[in-house]
Amino acid sequence: MTKEIFIARLKELKISKQDFSEICKVPYSTINNWGVKRNGKPLAIPNWVEPFLTYYEKAQKLEYIMTEICQKIESVKS
């Protein structure tokens, strides 16, 4: 995953690098350094980040669906 793809993915999910840092318990400075060139090579984004973002997105969708279903059930009860 490149830094550009990482940033784009965070924007799609509407989370900032700071939010991601807090969710993952990774220091913000570490995340901020991903993709920055050191000794001519970009600092790699860890392999776990891409699947994490995929599952984060799925969890957000599931949360939305569960909320909608619970609201419908409550409205039917009333």
Side-chain angles (χ1 to χ4, degrees), residues 13-36:
L13 297 171
K14 297 182 175 122
I15 56 176
S16 67
K17 285 192 280 185
Q18 184 66 43
D19 293 336
F20 183 79
S21 167
E22 292 169 12
I23 293 166
C24 296
K25 308 284 190 254
V26 174
Y28 178 77
S29 59
T30 299
I31 292 169
N32 220 26
N33 286 329
W34 290 344
V36 173

mmCIF file of all heavy atoms in Angstrom, residues 13-36:
data_model
loop_
_atom_site.group_PDB
_atom_site.id
_atom_site.type_symbol
_atom_site.label_atom_id
_atom_site.label_comp_id
_atom_site.label_asym_id
_atom_site.label_seq_id
_atom_site.Cartn_x
_atom_site.Cartn_y
_atom_site.Cartn_z
ATOM 1 N N LEU A 13 -13.087 6.513 4.311
ATOM 2 C CA LEU A 13 -13.673 6.052 5.568
ATOM 3 C C LEU A 13 -13.982 7.190 6.530
ATOM 4 O O LEU A 13 -14.512 6.960 7.622
ATOM 5 C CB LEU A 13 -12.724 5.049 6.231
ATOM 6 C CG LEU A 13 -12.481 3.771 5.432
ATOM 7 C CD1 LEU A 13 -11.363 2.950 6.062
ATOM 8 C CD2 LEU A 13 -13.744 2.959 5.302
ATOM 9 N N LYS A 14 -13.619 8.416 6.123
ATOM 10 C CA LYS A 14 -13.872 9.609 6.926
ATOM 11 C C LYS A 14 -13.210 9.541 8.297
ATOM 12 O O LYS A 14 -13.814 9.873 9.318
ATOM 13 C CB LYS A 14 -15.370 9.868 7.056
ATOM 14 C CG LYS A 14 -16.019 10.142 5.723
ATOM 15 C CD LYS A 14 -17.487 10.433 5.854
ATOM 16 C CE LYS A 14 -18.026 10.802 4.503
ATOM 17 N NZ LYS A 14 -19.077 10.018 4.009
ATOM 18 N N ILE A 15 -11.942 9.077 8.292
ATOM 19 C CA ILE A 15 -11.165 9.111 9.524
ATOM 20 C C ILE A 15 -9.824 9.796 9.236
ATOM 21 O O ILE A 15 -9.284 9.692 8.145
ATOM 22 C CB ILE A 15 -10.930 7.715 10.142
ATOM 23 C CG1 ILE A 15 -10.260 6.747 9.164
ATOM 24 C CG2 ILE A 15 -12.203 7.119 10.662
ATOM 25 C CD1 ILE A 15 -9.916 5.393 9.772
ATOM 26 N N SER A 16 -9.352 10.512 10.217
ATOM 27 C CA SER A 16 -8.076 11.214 10.077
ATOM 28 C C SER A 16 -6.937 10.279 10.486
ATOM 29 O O SER A 16 -7.167 9.222 11.087
ATOM 30 C CB SER A 16 -8.069 12.454 10.969
ATOM 31 O OG SER A 16 -8.088 12.061 12.335
ATOM 32 N N LYS A 17 -5.719 10.712 10.193
ATOM 33 C CA LYS A 17 -4.564 9.937 10.647
ATOM 34 C C LYS A 17 -4.548 9.888 12.174
ATOM 35 O O LYS A 17 -4.170 8.876 12.755
ATOM 36 C CB LYS A 17 -3.262 10.533 10.105
ATOM 37 C CG LYS A 17 -3.050 10.242 8.632
ATOM 38 C CD LYS A 17 -1.638 10.584 8.188
ATOM 39 C CE LYS A 17 -1.491 12.054 7.943
ATOM 40 N NZ LYS A 17 -0.160 12.412 7.400
ATOM 41 N N GLN A 18 -4.972 10.976 12.810
ATOM 42 C CA GLN A 18 -5.031 11.008 14.277
ATOM 43 C C GLN A 18 -6.036 9.983 14.803
ATOM 44 O O GLN A 18 -5.750 9.250 15.743
ATOM 45 C CB GLN A 18 -5.392 12.415 14.766
ATOM 46 C CG GLN A 18 -5.386 12.552 16.269
ATOM 47 C CD GLN A 18 -4.007 12.392 16.872
ATOM 48 O OE1 GLN A 18 -3.026 12.917 16.361
ATOM 49 N NE2 GLN A 18 -3.909 11.650 17.946
ATOM 50 N N ASP A 19 -7.222 9.925 14.178
ATOM 51 C CA ASP A 19 -8.228 8.931 14.567
ATOM 52 C C ASP A 19 -7.685 7.516 14.386
ATOM 53 O O ASP A 19 -7.843 6.659 15.254
ATOM 54 C CB ASP A 19 -9.501 9.080 13.739
ATOM 55 C CG ASP A 19 -10.243 10.374 14.008
ATOM 56 O OD1 ASP A 19 -10.075 10.946 15.104
ATOM 57 O OD2 ASP A 19 -10.983 10.820 13.106
ATOM 58 N N PHE A 20 -7.051 7.281 13.232
ATOM 59 C CA PHE A 20 -6.474 5.972 12.947
ATOM 60 C C PHE A 20 -5.437 5.614 14.008
ATOM 61 O O PHE A 20 -5.401 4.483 14.497
ATOM 62 C CB PHE A 20 -5.851 5.972 11.545
ATOM 63 C CG PHE A 20 -5.290 4.651 11.124
ATOM 64 C CD1 PHE A 20 -6.114 3.637 10.672
ATOM 65 C CD2 PHE A 20 -3.928 4.422 11.175
ATOM 66 C CE1 PHE A 20 -5.591 2.411 10.283
ATOM 67 C CE2 PHE A 20 -3.390 3.208 10.790
ATOM 68 C CZ PHE A 20 -4.232 2.198 10.343
ATOM 69 N N SER A 21 -4.624 6.575 14.374
ATOM 70 C CA SER A 21 -3.608 6.376 15.403
ATOM 71 C C SER A 21 -4.244 5.925 16.713
ATOM 72 O O SER A 21 -3.776 4.981 17.352
ATOM 73 C CB SER A 21 -2.843 7.683 15.610
ATOM 74 O OG SER A 21 -2.080 7.641 16.768
ATOM 75 N N GLU A 22 -5.318 6.580 17.111
ATOM 76 C CA GLU A 22 -5.993 6.246 18.361
ATOM 77 C C GLU A 22 -6.683 4.888 18.291
ATOM 78 O O GLU A 22 -6.625 4.114 19.243
ATOM 79 C CB GLU A 22 -6.988 7.347 18.718
ATOM 80 C CG GLU A 22 -6.294 8.645 19.090
ATOM 81 C CD GLU A 22 -7.233 9.832 19.207
ATOM 82 O OE1 GLU A 22 -8.468 9.646 19.221
ATOM 83 O OE2 GLU A 22 -6.721 10.964 19.287
ATOM 84 N N ILE A 23 -7.316 4.587 17.170
ATOM 85 C CA ILE A 23 -8.004 3.308 16.997
ATOM 86 C C ILE A 23 -7.010 2.151 17.063
ATOM 87 O O ILE A 23 -7.265 1.132 17.702
ATOM 88 C CB ILE A 23 -8.772 3.269 15.655
ATOM 89 C CG1 ILE A 23 -9.931 4.257 15.678
ATOM 90 C CG2 ILE A 23 -9.274 1.862 15.349
ATOM 91 C CD1 ILE A 23 -10.539 4.535 14.311
ATOM 92 N N CYS A 24 -5.875 2.309 16.387
ATOM 93 C CA CYS A 24 -4.882 1.230 16.268
ATOM 94 C C CYS A 24 -3.852 1.214 17.375
ATOM 95 O O CYS A 24 -3.038 0.289 17.449
ATOM 96 C CB CYS A 24 -4.167 1.341 14.934
ATOM 97 S SG CYS A 24 -5.257 1.101 13.555
ATOM 98 N N LYS A 25 -3.847 2.253 18.210
ATOM 99 C CA LYS A 25 -2.850 2.369 19.279
ATOM 100 C C LYS A 25 -1.429 2.390 18.710
ATOM 101 O O LYS A 25 -0.515 1.769 19.236
ATOM 102 C CB LYS A 25 -2.991 1.227 20.285
ATOM 103 C CG LYS A 25 -4.373 1.022 20.840
ATOM 104 C CD LYS A 25 -4.702 2.068 21.866
ATOM 105 C CE LYS A 25 -5.977 1.740 22.596
ATOM 106 N NZ LYS A 25 -7.101 2.516 22.233
ATOM 107 N N VAL A 26 -1.281 3.114 17.606
ATOM 108 C CA VAL A 26 0.029 3.321 16.975
ATOM 109 C C VAL A 26 0.336 4.808 17.109
ATOM 110 O O VAL A 26 -0.522 5.635 16.819
ATOM 111 C CB VAL A 26 -0.006 2.914 15.476
ATOM 112 C CG1 VAL A 26 1.290 3.248 14.781
ATOM 113 C CG2 VAL A 26 -0.346 1.443 15.322
ATOM 114 N N PRO A 27 1.541 5.151 17.547
ATOM 115 C CA PRO A 27 1.861 6.577 17.687
ATOM 116 C C PRO A 27 1.622 7.351 16.384
ATOM 117 O O PRO A 27 1.942 6.867 15.298
ATOM 118 C CB PRO A 27 3.351 6.579 18.047
ATOM 119 C CG PRO A 27 3.600 5.228 18.636
ATOM 120 C CD PRO A 27 2.675 4.301 17.926
ATOM 121 N N TYR A 28 1.050 8.533 16.525
ATOM 122 C CA TYR A 28 0.753 9.375 15.364
ATOM 123 C C TYR A 28 2.013 9.652 14.555
ATOM 124 O O TYR A 28 1.985 9.639 13.327
ATOM 125 C CB TYR A 28 0.096 10.683 15.814
ATOM 126 C CG TYR A 28 -0.195 11.616 14.673
ATOM 127 C CD1 TYR A 28 -1.277 11.392 13.836
ATOM 128 C CD2 TYR A 28 0.622 12.716 14.418
ATOM 129 C CE1 TYR A 28 -1.544 12.236 12.768
ATOM 130 C CE2 TYR A 28 0.362 13.566 13.360
ATOM 131 C CZ TYR A 28 -0.723 13.321 12.537
ATOM 132 O OH TYR A 28 -0.985 14.158 11.481
ATOM 133 N N SER A 29 3.116 9.876 15.240
ATOM 134 C CA SER A 29 4.367 10.168 14.533
ATOM 135 C C SER A 29 4.793 9.001 13.644
ATOM 136 O O SER A 29 5.341 9.209 12.556
ATOM 137 C CB SER A 29 5.478 10.515 15.521
ATOM 138 O OG SER A 29 5.702 9.447 16.420
ATOM 139 N N THR A 30 4.524 7.785 14.077
ATOM 140 C CA THR A 30 4.838 6.604 13.258
ATOM 141 C C THR A 30 4.000 6.606 11.996
ATOM 142 O O THR A 30 4.513 6.425 10.887
ATOM 143 C CB THR A 30 4.584 5.316 14.063
ATOM 144 O OG1 THR A 30 5.425 5.318 15.215
ATOM 145 C CG2 THR A 30 4.852 4.075 13.221
ATOM 146 N N ILE A 31 2.703 6.827 12.151
ATOM 147 C CA ILE A 31 1.798 6.847 11.000
ATOM 148 C C ILE A 31 2.177 7.980 10.054
ATOM 149 O O ILE A 31 2.173 7.813 8.834
ATOM 150 C CB ILE A 31 0.339 6.978 11.472
ATOM 151 C CG1 ILE A 31 -0.077 5.699 12.199
ATOM 152 C CG2 ILE A 31 -0.598 7.257 10.302
ATOM 153 C CD1 ILE A 31 -1.364 5.782 12.939
ATOM 154 N N ASN A 32 2.522 9.110 10.613
ATOM 155 C CA ASN A 32 2.890 10.264 9.808
ATOM 156 C C ASN A 32 4.159 10.023 8.996
ATOM 157 O O ASN A 32 4.338 10.611 7.933
ATOM 158 C CB ASN A 32 3.061 11.486 10.702
ATOM 159 C CG ASN A 32 2.509 12.730 10.088
ATOM 160 O OD1 ASN A 32 1.609 12.687 9.257
ATOM 161 N ND2 ASN A 32 3.038 13.850 10.488
ATOM 162 N N ASN A 33 5.018 9.152 9.487
ATOM 163 C CA ASN A 33 6.269 8.851 8.787
ATOM 164 C C ASN A 33 6.125 7.797 7.697
ATOM 165 O O ASN A 33 7.037 7.633 6.883
ATOM 166 C CB ASN A 33 7.349 8.405 9.785
ATOM 167 C CG ASN A 33 7.882 9.559 10.585
ATOM 168 O OD1 ASN A 33 7.927 10.688 10.115
ATOM 169 N ND2 ASN A 33 8.283 9.280 11.816
ATOM 170 N N TRP A 34 5.013 7.064 7.677
ATOM 171 C CA TRP A 34 4.822 6.053 6.644
ATOM 172 C C TRP A 34 4.868 6.718 5.270
ATOM 173 O O TRP A 34 4.214 7.722 5.032
ATOM 174 C CB TRP A 34 3.505 5.322 6.811
ATOM 175 C CG TRP A 34 3.440 4.419 7.999
ATOM 176 C CD1 TRP A 34 4.486 3.950 8.742
ATOM 177 C CD2 TRP A 34 2.262 3.870 8.591
ATOM 178 N NE1 TRP A 34 4.032 3.144 9.756
ATOM 179 C CE2 TRP A 34 2.675 3.075 9.680
ATOM 180 C CE3 TRP A 34 0.910 3.972 8.313
ATOM 181 C CZ2 TRP A 34 1.771 2.378 10.481
ATOM 182 C CZ3 TRP A 34 0.014 3.280 9.099
ATOM 183 C CH2 TRP A 34 0.441 2.491 10.177
ATOM 184 N N GLY A 35 5.638 6.164 4.385
ATOM 185 C CA GLY A 35 5.742 6.690 3.036
ATOM 186 C C GLY A 35 6.798 7.771 2.862
ATOM 187 O O GLY A 35 7.122 8.130 1.740
ATOM 188 N N VAL A 36 7.357 8.271 3.961
ATOM 189 C CA VAL A 36 8.397 9.294 3.888
ATOM 190 C C VAL A 36 9.713 8.600 3.529
ATOM 191 O O VAL A 36 10.026 7.537 4.056
ATOM 192 C CB VAL A 36 8.532 10.041 5.239
ATOM 193 C CG1 VAL A 36 9.716 10.976 5.231
ATOM 194 C CG2 VAL A 36 7.253 10.789 5.548
#
